[in-house]
């Protein structure tokens, strides 16, 4: 057997899983085949009383091979074939638990998804008290359900309510918590795990699962007539509907499996599970989420865009120019990642104010018991505040976050380059000014780069790296290494106005404002956006970033582009709000919303007088299409113009950067989900109805004609990585 070492000790077969080509064990076809062979061997050997399943790696089994899941979506095989595959893994596990011989799982480390399902099919589960180990059924996070019997065995072990909570949230728990829940029988010291499992086989060795015993009842009850069960399912499905707006089919499918399966014998329950599993596998949501948020995000985290041949770097001393909102956040995440930080502002007080931000966040962590006062103090000690450029001496990397002003930025660049080592990399956190232009103030433009953070820095997972015309490979590599050090996800884009994220996000707020200008009910706009899964409605977000800022950016763009400048379709609304109505956004107390002191914000009532409601309102579906498609189209243009160079960056950037709905898989995956030709036809119609921002790029038209998806060139996903 390729993936299982089979040894017999004292009449107990010890099956040690080791999928050699992977850093963590995953359920490859080889492993499944080998488990079947091992089972037959145990069954057929009278000298073997029972078996222990464990792993040769630090973790037990980390779950399914996600790359295969992505491919399963459009591999051309029928639903019937997919259902058969899913049944075959289930029947292997069912054969283990009905083999007549006792099986014990020695869970030496992390057991997730299919890995935990193997354990649940064993008659006894002992987990190692390993601080790194977690147990759970996280399939919902990739749009799937536990299809190896998890939806049937877990509620039979710990009751519907607890099982549903774990499965619909995809929660991971530590071994001690799993013991409390009751889905492991014991937790022992790591070096005792296999011995404890073996001892159970020899001394107890009950080869029958509770649900195969006569008179078995689900803990806490099940079925339509059981008041507790009905309460759980009714409240649960309402909560899920509220949280997901019906955009995610997996949590509801999990509830259906539990509801339908627990009133039947387990074999029928498993059959129901397979049917729902197959339906999810064929739904684009699971393909979308797995491809973008696991496989390609995983590859981005491993720095798939890092130029080859540049030596790995580590920032030990970081200089930050400007201790405002962004500088303060960058200082915090960098000090947390053990870097020495020099936080510089115009005067010491301003720099200290920036450091106060870290003090505040660390105090919160102490209050929540997430860190100790000593550790917090050590982090704060790493942040040195200053007004003196000489303190930047010895920095490996500088991140500039001063006011968004070309002159000020040029001035601080010159002052900084006078003191930092010649090898240091200099990055700007500008949100709108092209990097190539900013690099003109630098003596070393090949060491000049954009590192664009999102606000609030400590919460937002994405960082956009922007390459200026002259940016060299070493600058890119250092920027990426730094982002990995602070454990964020990078995308790499080429220089252009608004780069990738701000540019495409701008099409969303612009469409929202355009709809307002057409007299579309603002509540319809905001609610449809949220129902479609956008993190925030376009008008609310415009208020957050302030209409005034949008207005200034438009002015700066006009200045830079001269005759080439054409105002966006939503600009007249912005102009009216800023210049005539003086409603400049949340910070100013009023914008599209009112912000009553001590009360909750609400849409501004007077808006209907300024933009009287159109007699015929568009359907919710039409508003949704306008808000989402406009972003998808502009992402295609970014790909065409080389602003982004890989579809994965477009997809990851949209979800992690500005809250494009995860179920879509990102702006480009949305187009594949809708269907390329359908998308093109709809945009043609919308271009006619609403204007040329919906004009379909030729590249997309050709792609649709050829039936070629964005990822076809990259083999369904960007890089292979074990789940
Ligand atoms: P901010 O106004 O909160 O902070 C700017 C800081 O720079 C202030 O503390 C100011 O005293 C300091 N400063 C100004 N001139 C200076 C000089 N000559 N020398 C030293 N320090 C100086 O601004 P914020 O929001 O932190 O933005 C900073 C940069 O980050 C801007 O380029 C902005 O476009 C960019 N950015 C902002 C985002 C946001 O959401 N606010 C998001 C991403 C980028």
């Amino acid at each position: 057997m390729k993936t299982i070492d089979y040894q017999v000790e004292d009449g107990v077969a010890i099956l040690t899983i080791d999928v050699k080509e992977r850093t963590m064990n995953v359920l490859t076809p080889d492993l499944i085949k080998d488990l079947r062979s091992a089972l037959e061997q145990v069954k057929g050997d009278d000298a073997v009383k029972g078996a222990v399943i464990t792993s040769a790696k630090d973790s037990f089994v980390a779950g399914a091979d996600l790359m295969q899941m992505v491919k399963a979506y459009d591999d051309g095989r029928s639903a019937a074939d997919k259902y058969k595959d899913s049944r075959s893994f289930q029947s292997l596990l069912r054969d283990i638990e009905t083999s007549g011989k006792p099986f014990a799982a020695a869970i030496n480390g992390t057991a997730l998804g299919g890995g935990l399902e193997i354990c649940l099919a064993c008659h006894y589960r002992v987990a190692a008290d390993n601080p790194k180990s977690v147990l759970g059924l996280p399939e919902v996070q990739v749009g799937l359900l536990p299809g190896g019997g998890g939806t049937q065995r877990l509620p039979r072990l710990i009751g519907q309510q607890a099982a549903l909570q774990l499965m619909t949230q995809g929660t991971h728990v530590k071994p001690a918590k799993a013991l409390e829940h009751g889905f492991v029988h014991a937790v022992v010291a790591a070096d005792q795990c296999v011995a404890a499992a073996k001892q159970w086989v020899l001394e107890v060795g009950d080869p029958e699962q509770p649900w195969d015993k006569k008179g078995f009842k689900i803990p806490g009850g099940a079925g339509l007539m059981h008041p507790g069960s009905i309460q759980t399912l009714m409240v649960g499905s309402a909560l899920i509907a509220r949280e997901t707006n019906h955009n995610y089919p997996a949590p509801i499918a999990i509830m259906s499996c539990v509801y339908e399966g627990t009133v039947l014998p387990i074999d029928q329950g498993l059959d129901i599970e397979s049917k729902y599993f197959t339906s999810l596998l064929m739904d684009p949501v699971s393909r979308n989420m797995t491809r973008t948020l696991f496989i390609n995000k995983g590859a981005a985290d491993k720095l798939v865009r890092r130029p080859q041949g540049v030596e790995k770097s580590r920032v030990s001393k970081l200089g930050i120019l400007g201790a405002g909102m962004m500088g303060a956040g960058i200082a915090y995440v960098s000090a947390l990642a053990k870097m020495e930080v020099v936080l510089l502002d115009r005067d010491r007080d301003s720099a200290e104010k920036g450091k106060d931000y870290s003090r505040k966040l660390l105090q919160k962590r102490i209050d929540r018991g997430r860190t100790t006062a000593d550790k917090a103090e050590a982090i704060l000690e790493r942040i040195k505040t200053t007004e003196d450029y000489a303190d930047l001496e010895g920095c490996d990397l500088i991140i500039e976050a001063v006011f968004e002003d070309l002159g000020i930025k040029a001035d601080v660049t010159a002052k900084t380059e006078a003191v930092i080592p010649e090898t240091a990399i200099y990055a700007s956190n500008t949100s709108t000014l092209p990097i190539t232009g900013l690099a003109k103030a630098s003596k070393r433009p090949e060491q000049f780069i954009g590192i664009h953070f999102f606000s609030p820095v400590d919460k937002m997972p994405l960082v956009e790296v922007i390459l200026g015309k002259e940016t060299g490979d070493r600058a890119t590599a250092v920027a990426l290494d730094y982002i990995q050090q602070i454990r964020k996800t990078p995308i790499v884009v080429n220089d252009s106005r608004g780069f990738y994220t701000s540019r495409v996000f701008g099409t969303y707020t612009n469409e929202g404002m355009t709809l307002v200008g057409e007299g579309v009910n603002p509540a319809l706009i905001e609610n449809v956006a949220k129902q479609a899964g956008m993190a925030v409605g376009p008008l609310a977000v415009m208020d957050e970033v302030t209409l005034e800022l949008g207005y200034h950016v438009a002015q700066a763009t006009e200045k830079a582009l001269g005759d080439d400048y054409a105002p966006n379709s939503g600009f007249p609304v912005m102009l009216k709000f800023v210049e005539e109505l003086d409603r400049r956004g949340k910070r100013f107390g009023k914008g599209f919303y009112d912000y009553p002191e001590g009360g909750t914000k609400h849409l501004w009532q007077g808006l209907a007088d300024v933009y009287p409601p159109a007699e015929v309102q568009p359907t919710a579906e039409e508003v949704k299409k306008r808000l989402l498609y406009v972003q998808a189209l502009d992402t295609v243009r970014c790909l065409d113009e080389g602003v982004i160079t890989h579809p994965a960056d477009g997809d990851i950037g949209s979800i992690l950067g500005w809250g494009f709905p995860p179920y879509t898989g990102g702006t480009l995956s949305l187009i594949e989900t809708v269907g390329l030709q359908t998308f093109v036809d709809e945009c043609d119609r919308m271009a006619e109805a609403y204007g040329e921002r919906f004009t379909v790029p030729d590249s997309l038209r050709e792609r649709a004609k050829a039936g070629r998806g964005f990822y076809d060139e990259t083999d369904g996903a960007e890089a292979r990585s074990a789940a």
Side-chain angles (χ1 to χ4, degrees), residues 168-169 233-249 251-252 255 527-535 663:
T168 56
Q169 313 275 328
L233 293 160
M234 267 171 43
V235 174
S237 49
L239 283 177
I240 287 171
R242 190 182 68 180
E243 274 164 28
T244 65
N245 281 307
H246 298 278
N247 290 321
Y248 298 83
I252 291 292
M255 290 209 97
N527 287 333
V528 166
K530 278 183 276 175
Q531 276 167 15
M534 289 297 300
Y663 70 89

Side-chain angles (χ1 to χ4, degrees), residues 132-384:
K132 284 198 187 145
S133 146
V134 287
L135 280 63
L137 296 173
E139 287 84 348
V140 72
Q141 290 169 3
V142 286
L144 290 173
L145 57 79
T151 68
Q152 301 305 305
R153 292 191 180 92
L154 198 59
R156 281 172 171 79
L157 278 169
I158 66 171
Q160 289 185 334
Q161 196 177 356
L164 276 171
Q165 249 173 25
L166 288 171
M167 294 189 293
T168 56
Q169 313 275 328
T171 323
H172 299 173
V173 298
K174 301 256 177 219
K177 190 80 189 163
L179 180 68
E180 215 176 280
H181 273 301
F183 63 91
V184 301
H185 296 90
V187 176
V188 298
D191 58 352
Q192 296 300 309
C193 198
V194 173
K198 201 172 113 186
Q199 190 183 1
W200 178 86
V201 171
L202 290 169
E203 291 176 9
V204 184
D206 178 359
E208 205 174 30
Q209 292 279 33
W211 41 89
D212 288 320
K213 292 189 198 291
K214 230 180 157 167
F216 169 75
K217 288 217 161 49
I218 307 249
L224 203 52
M225 303 310 287
H226 191 285
S229 164
I230 281 310
Q231 175 82 1
T232 300
L233 293 160
M234 267 171 43
V235 174
S237 49
L239 283 177
I240 287 171
R242 190 182 68 180
E243 274 164 28
T244 65
N245 281 307
H246 298 278
N247 290 321
Y248 298 83
I252 291 292
I254 291 171
M255 290 209 97
S256 300
C257 289
V258 170
Y259 169 59
E260 294 171 36
T262 49
V263 291
L264 294 167
I266 189 147
D267 287 303
Q268 273 118 307
L270 290 170
D271 189 41
I272 286 168
E273 179 186 272
S274 269
K275 287 180 178 151
Y276 279 109
F277 181 78
T278 307
S279 74
L280 293 182
L281 204 55
M282 303 196 65
D283 191 297
V285 170
S286 71
R287 185 275 313 262
N288 290 342
M289 290 172 71
T290 313
R291 183 168 70 185
T292 301
L293 294 174
F294 282 78
I295 295 180
N296 290 336
K297 177 182 172 297
D301 291 340
K302 286 187 191 142
L303 309 187
V304 66
R305 303 271 174 270
R306 192 180 187 279
Q308 289 184 342
V310 183
E311 205 180 316
K312 185 87 188 156
S313 66
R314 247 194 100 74
V315 173
S316 42
K317 186 171 175 188
L318 173 74
I320 300 173
L321 313 179
M325 186 166 91
M326 297 307 287
I330 299 165
Y332 173 71
V333 297
S334 305
L336 213 57
K338 303 212 160 57
M339 277 166 240
E340 196 187 323
V341 176
V342 180
L343 185 56
L344 180 145
D345 208 295
R346 289 176 293 185
D347 51 70
R348 188 73 195 274
D349 278 357
S350 309
E352 271 297 313
K353 251 195 224 147
K355 186 169 171 178
D356 282 344
Y357 183 69
S358 291
R359 292 192 180 99
K360 204 176 82 200
L361 292 185
L362 285 165
Q363 189 55 48
K364 261 197 205 155
R365 279 171 85 105
I366 297 173
D367 294 346
R368 289 189 188 141
R370 290 180 59 201
T371 193
T372 61
D374 286 355
K375 282 188 187 151
E377 197 45 48
I379 294 168
L380 285 174
E381 268 173 26
R382 278 184 222 128
I383 305 176
K384 181 184 163 75

Side-chain angles (χ1 to χ4, degrees), residues 594-617:
D594 270 329
Y595 300 87
E597 239 172 82
T600 24
K601 72 169 189 183
H602 53 79
L603 280 160
W604 176 46
Q605 298 289 324
L607 203 138
D609 299 329
V610 186
Y611 292 103
E615 240 167 72
V616 182
Q617 293 287 318

Side-chain angles (χ1 to χ4, degrees), residues 322-327 344-346 350 389 401-404 408-409 412 429-431 452-453 455:
M325 186 166 91
M326 297 307 287
L344 180 145
D345 208 295
R346 289 176 293 185
S350 309
Y389 282 81
V402 301
F403 294 143
E404 189 73 341
I408 298 177
K409 286 190 191 289
V412 299
N429 179 49
T430 174
S431 43
H452 179 214
F453 283 86
S455 172

Side-chain angles (χ1 to χ4, degrees), residues 21 23 85 111 129 131 223 245 325 392 435 547 690:
E21 69 277 14
T23 46
D85 286 350
D129 188 14
N245 281 307
M325 186 166 91
L392 297 171
I435 294 299
L547 285 123
Y690 310 119

